[in-house]
Amino acid sequence: MCGIVGFMSRNTPAAGPLVSGLHRLEYRGYDSAGVALVAPDGLRVYKQTGKVAELDALLKRELSEEDRRRCTIGIAHTRWATHGLPTRENAHPHLAGGGTLALVHNGIVENYASLRAGLEKRGVQFVSQTDTEVLAHLVAHYDQGDLLAATCKALRRVEGTYGIALVSAKHPGEMIVARKGSPLVIGVGESDIVVASDVSAIVAFTRQVIYLKDGDVARITPGSVDIHSLDNAPVSREVQEVDWDIGAIEKGGYEHFMLKEIFEQPDALRNTIRGRLDPTGGTAILSGLNLSPRELAAIRRLVIIGCGTSLHAGMVGKYLFEDLADIPASPEQAAEFRYCNPIVGPDDWVIALSQSGETADTLAAVRESIRKGALVSGLCNVVGSTIAREAGRGVYLHAGPEISVASTKAFTAQVTALLMTALKLGRTRRLSREEGIRLVAEIMRIPDLISAVLERNDAIARAAEKHANANDMFFIGRGILYPTALEGALKIKEIAYVHAEGYQAAELKHGPIALLCPKTPVVALLADIPGKEKTLGNVQECRARRAPVIGLVTEGDSEAAAAVDDAITLPPTSRELAPIVSVVALQLFAYHVARLRGCEIDQPRNLAKSVTVE
Ligand code: G6P
């Protein structure tokens, strides 16, 4: 989604840091980019559709050496179109006050049409179709000499969400930033201040950051950050240290972030698990959940909400909670949950899954669940993210920053966190200590099992080569492996642009089988766990229609290997771990298909890493 960068210094030129900050945000997905710099005689604004590299080239052509040197304050943006096409006019920054004020915005101004009509009546002329432009004009309209006060006044009229940064030629030494429902972080360096919508654009400069809270408005000058509430009263926010460094968001020798993150999974999962297992008591220690045994015992039902890959992890969670804790669990797509009169109350435990912790639909569902009195927890990867903060209790995944749009390590970390949660809940109910001890040992094996799958990378690449030209694929799985089939199909859609569908193995014959032919490969999840025999029957049905079958089979399972056209072998695993072990092979499969098709793997078309609009 859209990204914001701001830079404020006394003597460091701003253009370079702004562009490198935008590069760091490219992974989020965008379709145009722009920069506004404050020069002594007015603003310099450059916008471009397409990539940040093209904006950089434009700056190299058009920004004079003198301006580059003397402009030490500026704002920049990558836009992911919501209101209006991805054109130069619609790209941010948007200008107002006769070109004296420039503003960048993430989020959506829901009442923009009425605000725009009001401004038009006063003679304001709009040049874009965006909701953002009204914000710029509103601030300029209220500016009577105090930019912070004008911004507060404008924002009080806004319905919707925003993270904004603005500069004005009338107030050349300051920048105003604000947030409501869209993240904004201020990095406080030794001499310079960097602002961004995502901490990954900041860590190259400093690890000392201030996370703004909803309703905060800050005035930044070269030596100060003053934070206020929307009614302009001072508030104080602590400076925190980011616990990872720039190395974590660089490719480290891999061709793509996605591949790096797939290969990082053993370490990422070690971090997810570290300190959270009790091998003697046979349970998990998840202190962030902050739930007493009594509260755990009172829970009657679980609702697991999420979107995209997180939803698929939640679907695995259903099997884990029902099996290990004997408690009904329903995975729900967050937006559907929210708009379908969710029936949740004090006996229900709502678990929100979100890598970013910022997905708008998931956040809205969290708020609705809190309003209805449910117990709410967040399982998020990004520390300090909105969902993590608002849920108040939860489990951090500690998988490290995930840059590739297609989520990989977050999925396996989410399933692992859900497994530990189910173990903890199960131990307050039907799970014996012995069973708990068995599960603890299983969970501790996860990193090594993933390493064993990664060793099969070459074999998986060979299977991908055979099928890289397919235009349609099916993924089938049964029971706990069904969500993995959905996730395998999602990965290949996202990065290889292959039409793919995931089905319950048994459902294929109720319609989709009509599509099977020699050109429609079927990927069958055949790990040797209960249910496999039945799925083997479904594989026969596919092969009888001449669809080539790629089977993910357990090492040594000659029956399953013989039943498919191409076998990818997996290490033996328990039922609980089968989704994790299988999905890693599917991530690699999708990666290789995308690579062979020449796709832009880390930034797939039309997608955004974190979807902050509903
Ligand atoms: C976007 C991303 C997906 C991701 C989903 C949920 O659609 O492209 O990869 O799974 O959002 O994101 P979250 O951060 O809430 O897990």
XYZ file of all heavy atoms in Angstrom, residues 286-382:
717
model
N 2.811 -18.566 27.178
C 2.535 -17.426 26.294
C 2.055 -16.277 27.171
O 0.849 -15.995 27.268
C 1.490 -17.821 25.241
C 1.901 -18.985 24.329
C 0.724 -19.511 23.525
C 3.025 -18.561 23.381
N 3.024 -15.635 27.815
C 2.628 -14.666 28.838
C 1.913 -13.457 28.238
O 1.087 -12.837 28.893
C 3.852 -14.230 29.644
O 4.929 -14.026 28.790
N 2.212 -13.152 26.957
C 1.553 -12.006 26.327
C 0.051 -12.173 26.203
O -0.680 -11.204 26.035
N -0.418 -13.414 26.288
C -1.867 -13.615 26.204
C -2.550 -13.109 27.464
O -3.723 -12.729 27.449
C -2.198 -15.104 26.026
C -1.901 -15.701 24.660
C -2.220 -17.189 24.666
C -2.701 -15.004 23.571
N -1.792 -13.158 28.556
C -2.291 -12.591 29.795
C -3.662 -13.146 30.188
O -4.556 -12.401 30.561
C -2.357 -11.062 29.606
C -2.252 -10.345 30.919
O -2.005 -10.982 31.943
N -2.483 -9.048 30.899
N -3.810 -14.471 30.072
C -5.092 -15.089 30.410
C -4.879 -16.061 31.572
O -3.992 -16.912 31.514
C -5.639 -15.865 29.207
C -6.132 -15.031 28.025
C -6.432 -15.931 26.835
C -7.378 -14.243 28.413
N -5.688 -15.936 32.598
C -5.560 -16.836 33.736
C -6.184 -18.184 33.359
O -7.019 -18.261 32.463
C -6.309 -16.250 34.932
O -7.685 -16.192 34.618
N -5.785 -19.261 34.053
C -6.404 -20.560 33.777
C -7.927 -20.478 33.861
O -8.648 -21.128 33.109
C -5.832 -21.467 34.878
C -4.546 -20.813 35.273
C -4.742 -19.343 35.081
N -8.399 -19.645 34.762
C -9.844 -19.500 34.917
C -10.480 -18.889 33.661
O -11.507 -19.371 33.172
C -10.080 -18.577 36.103
C -11.365 -18.858 36.803
C -11.482 -17.877 37.877
N -12.835 -17.801 38.350
C -13.108 -17.442 39.549
N -12.149 -17.170 40.389
N -14.351 -17.334 39.926
N -9.833 -17.847 33.150
C -10.358 -17.234 31.917
C -10.299 -18.231 30.762
O -11.233 -18.325 29.968
C -9.541 -15.983 31.560
C -9.923 -14.762 32.382
C -8.960 -13.605 32.157
O -7.740 -13.775 32.383
O -9.444 -12.534 31.753
N -9.194 -18.979 30.707
C -9.065 -19.964 29.623
C -10.163 -21.019 29.728
O -10.744 -21.440 28.731
C -7.687 -20.636 29.672
C -6.501 -19.800 29.178
C -5.183 -20.490 29.499
C -6.587 -19.543 27.675
N -10.445 -21.419 30.950
C -11.452 -22.467 31.151
C -12.856 -21.971 30.792
O -13.732 -22.764 30.436
C -11.404 -22.955 32.594
N -13.056 -20.663 30.870
C -14.402 -20.123 30.623
C -14.703 -19.970 29.127
O -15.848 -19.738 28.737
C -14.543 -18.773 31.329
N -13.685 -20.109 28.289
C -13.897 -19.883 26.851
C -14.753 -20.999 26.248
O -14.487 -22.177 26.456
C -12.528 -19.793 26.121
C -11.775 -18.547 26.587
C -12.706 -19.775 24.616
C -10.299 -18.580 26.282
N -15.764 -20.596 25.492
C -16.669 -21.583 24.906
C -16.417 -21.782 23.414
O -16.749 -22.786 22.834
C -18.144 -21.141 25.083
C -18.619 -21.129 26.509
C -18.962 -22.561 26.996
N -18.780 -22.647 28.442
C -17.672 -23.075 29.046
N -16.655 -23.509 28.340
N -17.574 -23.113 30.345
N -15.890 -20.739 22.769
C -15.755 -20.812 21.311
C -14.617 -19.905 20.872
O -14.352 -18.883 21.523
C -17.054 -20.311 20.673
C -17.134 -20.495 19.169
C -18.530 -20.139 18.674
N -18.790 -18.711 18.854
C -18.967 -17.850 17.849
N -18.910 -18.269 16.601
N -19.209 -16.577 18.086
N -13.982 -20.288 19.793
C -12.915 -19.455 19.240
C -13.306 -18.952 17.867
O -13.872 -19.705 17.066
C -11.664 -20.308 19.061
C -10.719 -20.266 20.226
C -10.079 -21.608 20.393
C -9.652 -19.237 19.924
N -13.010 -17.711 17.610
C -13.189 -17.176 16.259
C -11.817 -16.664 15.831
O -11.188 -15.897 16.573
C -14.219 -16.025 16.243
C -14.402 -15.508 14.823
C -15.544 -16.491 16.820
N -11.348 -17.145 14.685
C -10.012 -16.745 14.238
C -10.175 -15.903 12.978
O -10.725 -16.385 11.980
C -9.123 -17.975 13.949
C -9.236 -18.994 15.093
C -7.676 -17.547 13.771
C -8.557 -20.306 14.802
N -9.745 -14.647 13.060
C -9.990 -13.756 11.919
C -8.686 -13.351 11.239
O -7.641 -13.251 11.872
C -10.769 -12.487 12.344
C -10.123 -11.831 13.566
C -12.219 -12.800 12.593
C -10.793 -10.560 13.984
N -8.780 -13.121 9.941
C -7.608 -12.697 9.187
C -7.974 -12.529 7.729
O -9.130 -12.754 7.327
N -7.023 -12.122 6.932
C -7.210 -11.966 5.490
C -6.037 -12.647 4.784
O -4.933 -12.713 5.328
C -7.182 -10.494 5.079
S -8.426 -9.485 5.874
N -6.277 -13.090 3.562
C -5.205 -13.637 2.731
C -4.516 -14.819 3.405
O -5.157 -15.731 3.940
N -3.200 -14.765 3.405
C -2.423 -15.854 3.992
C -2.748 -16.026 5.476
O -2.801 -17.151 5.989
C -0.923 -15.556 3.771
O -0.675 -15.699 2.380
C -0.023 -16.499 4.533
N -2.962 -14.932 6.156
C -3.296 -15.026 7.587
C -4.605 -15.785 7.804
O -4.759 -16.514 8.781
C -3.406 -13.628 8.203
O -2.148 -13.019 8.209
N -5.544 -15.601 6.892
C -6.803 -16.342 6.996
C -6.531 -17.841 6.855
O -7.090 -18.665 7.589
C -7.783 -15.857 5.917
C -9.083 -16.655 5.793
C -9.904 -16.576 7.074
C -9.917 -16.152 4.615
N -5.646 -18.185 5.917
C -5.338 -19.606 5.738
C -4.678 -20.196 6.990
O -4.964 -21.328 7.372
C -4.435 -19.808 4.512
C -5.126 -19.430 3.233
N -4.461 -19.052 2.103
C -6.448 -19.354 2.931
C -5.332 -18.780 1.150
N -6.543 -18.947 1.635
N -3.813 -19.419 7.621
C -3.218 -19.895 8.873
C -4.330 -20.105 9.903
O -4.349 -21.098 10.640
C -2.184 -18.899 9.381
N -5.273 -19.180 9.945
C -6.405 -19.293 10.876
C -7.224 -20.551 10.612
O -7.741 -21.183 11.534
N -7.313 -20.909 9.327
C -8.074 -22.119 8.989
C -7.368 -23.369 9.513
O -8.016 -24.336 9.919
C -8.279 -22.203 7.474
C -9.202 -21.109 6.971
S -9.292 -21.043 5.174
C -10.421 -22.371 4.864
N -6.034 -23.352 9.504
C -5.298 -24.477 10.113
C -5.612 -24.492 11.618
O -5.804 -25.546 12.230
C -3.774 -24.360 9.890
C -3.044 -25.520 10.565
C -3.438 -24.310 8.402
N -5.687 -23.288 12.186
C -5.955 -23.167 13.623
C -7.234 -23.874 14.046
O -7.310 -24.466 15.119
N -8.229 -23.840 13.186
C -9.502 -24.511 13.516
C -9.242 -25.983 13.882
O -9.727 -26.483 14.896
C -10.445 -24.438 12.305
C -11.689 -25.307 12.432
C -12.452 -25.355 11.120
C -13.510 -26.437 11.146
N -14.606 -26.161 12.076
N -8.464 -26.673 13.028
C -8.205 -28.096 13.287
C -7.413 -28.266 14.580
O -7.650 -29.184 15.357
C -7.432 -28.713 12.114
C -8.236 -28.704 10.840
C -8.170 -27.618 9.969
C -9.087 -29.749 10.519
C -8.925 -27.590 8.806
C -9.844 -29.727 9.351
C -9.758 -28.640 8.504
O -10.514 -28.611 7.368
N -6.466 -27.358 14.805
C -5.619 -27.498 15.994
C -6.430 -27.307 17.267
O -6.323 -28.088 18.213
C -4.465 -26.491 15.927
C -3.516 -26.669 14.731
C -2.507 -25.522 14.668
C -2.783 -28.011 14.826
N -7.251 -26.264 17.292
C -8.032 -26.001 18.509
C -9.077 -27.087 18.745
O -9.301 -27.510 19.872
C -8.698 -24.632 18.435
C -7.751 -23.505 18.706
C -7.330 -22.666 17.688
C -7.238 -23.306 19.977
C -6.428 -21.641 17.932
C -6.331 -22.279 20.240
C -5.928 -21.449 19.210
N -9.716 -27.523 17.667
C -10.767 -28.525 17.859
C -10.166 -29.854 18.297
O -10.713 -30.544 19.145
C -11.627 -28.628 16.594
C -12.392 -27.317 16.385
C -13.403 -27.309 15.255
O -13.390 -28.243 14.438
O -14.208 -26.353 15.213
N -9.004 -30.196 17.740
C -8.385 -31.482 18.104
C -7.751 -31.448 19.482
O -7.891 -32.372 20.264
C -7.250 -31.810 17.126
C -7.801 -32.322 15.832
O -9.029 -32.330 15.698
O -6.988 -32.676 14.961
N -7.013 -30.384 19.750
C -6.198 -30.385 20.967
C -6.951 -29.847 22.171
O -6.641 -30.188 23.304
C -4.914 -29.560 20.761
C -4.020 -30.017 19.605
C -2.830 -29.083 19.448
C -3.528 -31.444 19.829
N -7.926 -28.979 21.934
C -8.594 -28.354 23.080
C -10.088 -28.663 23.117
O -10.795 -28.171 24.007
C -8.370 -26.845 23.042
N -10.564 -29.437 22.136
C -11.990 -29.794 22.110
C -12.880 -28.565 22.145
O -13.888 -28.548 22.854
C -12.331 -30.651 23.337
C -12.306 -32.116 22.991
O -12.281 -32.429 21.794
O -12.296 -32.941 23.930
N -12.506 -27.573 21.436
C -13.277 -26.342 21.516
C -13.613 -25.899 20.097
O -12.743 -25.928 19.221
C -12.480 -25.273 22.308
C -13.344 -24.080 22.604
C -11.215 -24.819 21.648
C -12.816 -23.264 23.753
N -14.879 -25.542 19.836
C -15.229 -25.163 18.466
C -14.493 -23.891 18.042
O -14.400 -22.940 18.816
C -16.740 -24.937 18.501
C -17.117 -24.877 19.928
C -16.025 -25.496 20.740
N -13.968 -23.917 16.833
C -13.219 -22.747 16.351
C -13.669 -22.440 14.934
O -13.727 -23.335 14.093
C -11.717 -23.051 16.377
N -14.037 -21.176 14.679
C -14.391 -20.847 13.298
C -13.476 -19.782 12.736
O -13.374 -18.689 13.292
C -15.852 -20.400 13.168
O -16.292 -19.853 14.364
N -12.790 -20.123 11.639
C -11.995 -19.116 10.957
C -12.923 -18.226 10.147
O -13.870 -18.712 9.543
C -11.104 -19.945 10.023
C -11.729 -21.286 9.925
C -12.732 -21.452 11.002
N -12.677 -16.925 10.153
C -13.562 -16.016 9.424
C -12.721 -14.997 8.675
O -11.779 -14.429 9.235
C -14.450 -15.226 10.409
C -15.255 -16.083 11.350
C -16.676 -16.300 10.868
O -17.013 -15.804 9.772
O -17.424 -16.969 11.589
N -13.110 -14.750 7.431
C -12.480 -13.658 6.675
C -12.885 -12.367 7.397
O -14.069 -12.153 7.676
C -12.983 -13.683 5.229
C -12.077 -12.987 4.231
C -12.235 -11.468 4.233
O -13.244 -10.957 4.713
N -11.238 -10.768 3.713
N -11.925 -11.528 7.714
C -12.182 -10.420 8.642
C -13.307 -9.493 8.184
O -14.160 -9.107 8.991
C -10.893 -9.629 8.862
N -13.348 -9.140 6.909
C -14.380 -8.209 6.449
C -15.752 -8.856 6.502
O -16.743 -8.232 6.896
C -14.072 -7.741 5.027
N -15.814 -10.137 6.123
C -17.094 -10.846 6.161
C -17.586 -10.949 7.597
O -18.762 -10.766 7.884
C -16.926 -12.251 5.574
C -16.637 -12.249 4.090
C -17.785 -11.660 3.292
O -18.939 -12.009 3.549
O -17.499 -10.819 2.417
N -16.689 -11.243 8.485
C -17.026 -11.368 9.902
C -17.646 -10.066 10.395
O -18.687 -10.029 11.013
C -15.751 -11.685 10.684
C -15.886 -11.549 12.179
C -16.447 -12.565 12.921
C -15.424 -10.411 12.838
C -16.564 -12.442 14.304
C -15.539 -10.283 14.200
C -16.113 -11.309 14.946
N -17.002 -8.984 10.021
C -17.408 -7.703 10.559
C -18.763 -7.256 10.029
O -19.564 -6.672 10.748
C -16.351 -6.690 10.183
C -16.632 -5.367 10.799
C -15.768 -4.328 10.201
N -16.244 -3.047 10.610
C -16.034 -1.955 9.931
N -15.349 -2.020 8.816
N -16.502 -0.817 10.357
N -19.025 -7.557 8.762
C -20.267 -7.057 8.173
C -21.429 -8.041 8.271
O -22.487 -7.802 7.741
C -20.024 -6.632 6.727
C -19.211 -5.366 6.666
C -17.909 -5.361 6.206
C -19.751 -4.165 7.124
C -17.155 -4.198 6.186
C -19.011 -3.005 7.115
C -17.713 -3.022 6.651
O -16.980 -1.875 6.642
N -21.212 -9.174 8.929
C -22.289 -10.166 9.023
C -22.818 -10.259 10.444
O -22.984 -11.359 10.968
C -21.801 -11.531 8.579
S -21.484 -11.583 6.847
N -23.026 -9.175 11.106
C -23.490 -9.162 12.481
C -22.795 -10.228 13.316
O -23.409 -11.226 13.714
C -25.015 -9.362 12.544
C -25.503 -9.286 13.982
O -24.880 -8.600 14.804
N -26.570 -9.996 14.294
N -21.540 -10.078 13.592
C -20.805 -11.113 14.312
C -21.419 -11.385 15.683
O -21.615 -10.457 16.468
C -19.403 -10.520 14.459
C -19.532 -9.069 14.177
C -20.724 -8.892 13.299
N -21.711 -12.650 15.900
C -22.304 -12.991 17.200
C -21.167 -13.468 18.100
O -20.787 -14.637 18.089
C -23.402 -14.048 17.032
C -24.450 -13.468 16.066
C -24.043 -14.399 18.380
C -25.519 -14.402 15.649
N -20.587 -12.541 18.810
C -19.531 -12.879 19.760
C -19.805 -12.136 21.069
O -20.410 -11.069 21.066
C -18.110 -12.498 19.257
C -17.631 -13.426 18.166
C -18.041 -11.052 18.808
N -19.371 -12.729 22.127
C -19.587 -12.103 23.434
C -18.518 -12.552 24.412
O -17.487 -13.094 24.014
N -18.764 -12.350 25.691
C -17.735 -12.596 26.709
C -17.194 -14.029 26.771
O -16.090 -14.235 27.246
C -18.439 -12.243 28.021
C -19.577 -11.374 27.625
C -19.979 -11.770 26.246
N -17.957 -15.024 26.266
C -17.435 -16.401 26.323
C -16.578 -16.749 25.115
O -16.066 -17.860 25.000
C -18.583 -17.420 26.355
C -19.402 -17.284 27.614
O -18.888 -16.683 28.572
O -20.544 -17.759 27.615
N -16.474 -15.817 24.189
C -15.765 -16.116 22.942
C -14.384 -15.496 22.945
O -14.193 -14.381 23.427
C -16.545 -15.559 21.741
C -17.917 -16.183 21.645
O -18.003 -17.407 21.785
O -18.903 -15.428 21.466
N -13.463 -16.245 22.376
C -12.092 -15.738 22.249
C -11.834 -15.465 20.771
O -11.846 -16.389 19.951
C -11.104 -16.773 22.785
C -9.693 -16.292 22.859
C -9.234 -15.021 22.657
C -8.545 -17.082 23.161
N -7.875 -14.969 22.835
C -7.419 -16.215 23.141
C -8.335 -18.427 23.459
C -6.123 -16.660 23.390
C -7.052 -18.869 23.706
C -5.949 -17.991 23.683
N -11.649 -14.213 20.445
C -11.384 -13.827 19.064
C -9.878 -13.660 18.905
O -9.261 -12.868 19.617
C -12.120 -12.515 18.703
C -11.752 -12.056 17.291
C -13.630 -12.695 18.833
N -9.307 -14.420 17.998
C -7.863 -14.307 17.741
C -7.682 -13.680 16.367
O -8.155 -14.211 15.363
C -7.173 -15.686 17.797
C -7.327 -16.288 19.196
C -5.699 -15.562 17.432
C -6.589 -17.595 19.404
N -7.033 -12.522 16.345
C -6.801 -11.827 15.068
C -5.397 -12.150 14.590
O -4.426 -11.938 15.313
C -6.959 -10.325 15.262
N -5.307 -12.654 13.364
C -4.000 -12.987 12.788
C -3.631 -11.928 11.757
O -4.412 -11.646 10.858
C -4.063 -14.329 12.065
C -4.312 -15.582 12.890
C -4.309 -16.801 11.975
C -3.242 -15.743 13.945
N -2.450 -11.361 11.904
C -2.022 -10.376 10.906
C -0.511 -10.210 10.967
O 0.029 -9.877 12.017
C -2.703 -9.032 11.167
O -2.234 -8.077 10.253
N 0.136 -10.465 9.857
C 1.581 -10.259 9.793
C 1.892 -8.808 10.124
O 2.668 -8.505 11.013
C 2.082 -10.637 8.388
C 3.589 -10.637 8.195
C 4.224 -9.276 8.116
O 5.188 -8.996 8.832
N 3.694 -8.403 7.298
N 1.265 -7.907 9.359
C 1.575 -6.477 9.487
C 0.985 -5.862 10.746
O 1.495 -4.880 11.265
C 1.023 -5.723 8.282
O -0.386 -5.861 8.246
N -0.137 -6.419 11.190
C -0.853 -5.797 12.311
C -1.565 -4.525 11.903
O -2.012 -3.753 12.756
N -1.686 -4.292 10.593
C -2.306 -3.049 10.124
C -3.451 -3.282 9.153
O -4.054 -2.318 8.692
C -1.258 -2.157 9.413
C -0.054 -1.766 10.260
C -0.390 -0.839 11.430
O -1.503 -0.279 11.451
O 0.465 -0.712 12.329
N -3.740 -4.509 8.795
C -4.777 -4.765 7.785
C -6.113 -4.181 8.258
O -6.615 -4.530 9.331
C -4.880 -6.282 7.524
O -3.606 -6.708 7.064
C -5.925 -6.606 6.488
N -6.678 -3.306 7.419
C -7.832 -2.519 7.863
C -9.022 -3.400 8.229
O -9.691 -3.158 9.240
C -8.220 -1.529 6.773
N -9.302 -4.421 7.426
C -10.469 -5.257 7.715
C -10.274 -6.034 9.024
O -11.215 -6.211 9.799
C -10.710 -6.238 6.560
C -11.344 -5.530 5.360
O -12.162 -4.613 5.577
O -11.016 -5.890 4.218
N -9.059 -6.491 9.251
C -8.808 -7.254 10.474
C -8.901 -6.332 11.691
O -9.476 -6.686 12.723
C -7.419 -7.937 10.390
O -7.326 -8.598 9.128
C -7.219 -8.941 11.501
N -8.361 -5.126 11.515
C -8.426 -4.152 12.605
C -9.889 -3.812 12.935
O -10.278 -3.757 14.112
C -7.647 -2.896 12.204
C -7.693 -1.725 13.165
C -7.135 -2.107 14.526
C -6.893 -0.532 12.606
N -10.687 -3.608 11.892
C -12.093 -3.267 12.124
C -12.797 -4.416 12.855
O -13.622 -4.194 13.754
C -12.772 -2.975 10.791
N -12.458 -5.651 12.485
C -13.076 -6.809 13.144
C -12.639 -6.896 14.605
O -13.426 -7.265 15.481
C -12.701 -8.084 12.391
N -11.386 -6.533 14.866
C -10.888 -6.517 16.250
C -11.697 -5.513 17.064
O -12.174 -5.806 18.173
C -9.380 -6.154 16.268
C -8.923 -5.696 17.641
C -8.546 -7.350 15.822
N -11.874 -4.332 16.493
C -12.610 -3.282 17.231
C -14.047 -3.713 17.505
O -14.585 -3.502 18.590
C -12.581 -1.982 16.427
C -11.190 -1.363 16.436
C -11.137 -0.081 15.652
N -9.815 0.527 15.799
C -9.268 1.339 14.916
N -9.915 1.673 13.823
N -8.079 1.852 15.127
N -14.664 -4.322 16.504
C -16.047 -4.766 16.658
C -16.136 -5.847 17.753
O -17.054 -5.841 18.566
C -16.535 -5.311 15.307
C -17.993 -5.710 15.254
C -18.951 -4.550 15.460
O -18.520 -3.385 15.361
O -20.131 -4.819 15.758
N -15.157 -6.730 17.780
C -15.172 -7.813 18.784
C -14.969 -7.246 20.182
O -15.612 -7.691 21.144
C -14.078 -8.843 18.491
O -14.199 -9.315 17.183
N -14.085 -6.251 20.286
C -13.859 -5.623 21.596
C -15.149 -4.948 22.051
O -15.586 -5.095 23.197
C -12.694 -4.613 21.529
C -11.361 -5.340 21.269
C -12.602 -3.774 22.813
C -10.153 -4.440 21.040
N -15.794 -4.257 21.108
C -17.050 -3.568 21.427
C -18.087 -4.551 21.942
O -18.902 -4.249 22.811
C -17.559 -2.873 20.161
C -18.568 -1.774 20.406
C -18.888 -1.015 19.120
N -17.718 -0.382 18.527
C -17.299 -0.589 17.264
N -17.960 -1.396 16.470
N -16.245 0.025 16.820
N -18.080 -5.755 21.396
C -19.097 -6.735 21.797
C -18.697 -7.519 23.042
O -19.365 -8.478 23.421
C -19.380 -7.679 20.639
C -20.014 -6.931 19.468
C -20.842 -7.806 18.602
C -21.854 -6.948 17.864
N -22.414 -7.571 16.702
N -17.596 -7.161 23.631
C -17.228 -7.763 24.907
C -16.473 -9.072 24.806
O -16.288 -9.758 25.813
N -16.052 -9.470 23.590
C -15.302 -10.730 23.463
C -13.891 -10.539 24.007
O -13.390 -9.417 24.124
C -15.252 -11.155 21.998
N -13.280 -11.656 24.301
C -11.861 -11.647 24.674
C -11.099 -11.581 23.355
O -11.352 -12.394 22.474
C -11.606 -12.990 25.343
C -10.480 -13.164 26.292
C -10.711 -12.288 27.517
C -10.475 -14.643 26.733
N -10.194 -10.621 23.200
C -9.544 -10.462 21.890
C -8.026 -10.526 22.043
O -7.458 -9.896 22.927
C -9.952 -9.123 21.236
C -9.287 -8.966 19.873
C -11.466 -9.031 21.083
N -7.391 -11.307 21.174
C -5.923 -11.357 21.162
C -5.435 -11.149 19.734
O -6.113 -11.524 18.783
C -5.412 -12.721 21.611
O -5.896 -13.019 22.882
N -4.249 -10.592 19.625
C -3.648 -10.419 18.301
C -2.433 -11.322 18.162
O -1.636 -11.437 19.087
N -2.315 -11.982 17.024
C -1.079 -12.723 16.707
C -0.439 -11.980 15.549
O -0.816 -12.181 14.399
C -1.400 -14.165 16.301
C -1.241 -15.249 17.374
C -2.256 -15.024 18.482
C -1.441 -16.625 16.780
N 0.472 -11.074 15.858
C 1.028 -10.189 14.830
C 2.531 -10.359 14.751
O 3.169 -10.799 15.712
C 0.731 -8.724 15.172
S -1.027 -8.369 15.296
N 3.081 -9.953 13.618
C 4.537 -10.021 13.474
C 5.168 -8.658 13.782
O 6.224 -8.591 14.395
C 4.902 -10.482 12.062
C 6.355 -10.888 11.954
O 6.930 -11.396 12.918
N 6.951 -10.652 10.809
N 4.515 -7.592 13.323
C 5.131 -6.276 13.475
C 4.881 -5.739 14.889
O 3.737 -5.528 15.299
C 4.607 -5.285 12.411
C 5.183 -3.902 12.623
C 4.965 -5.799 11.007
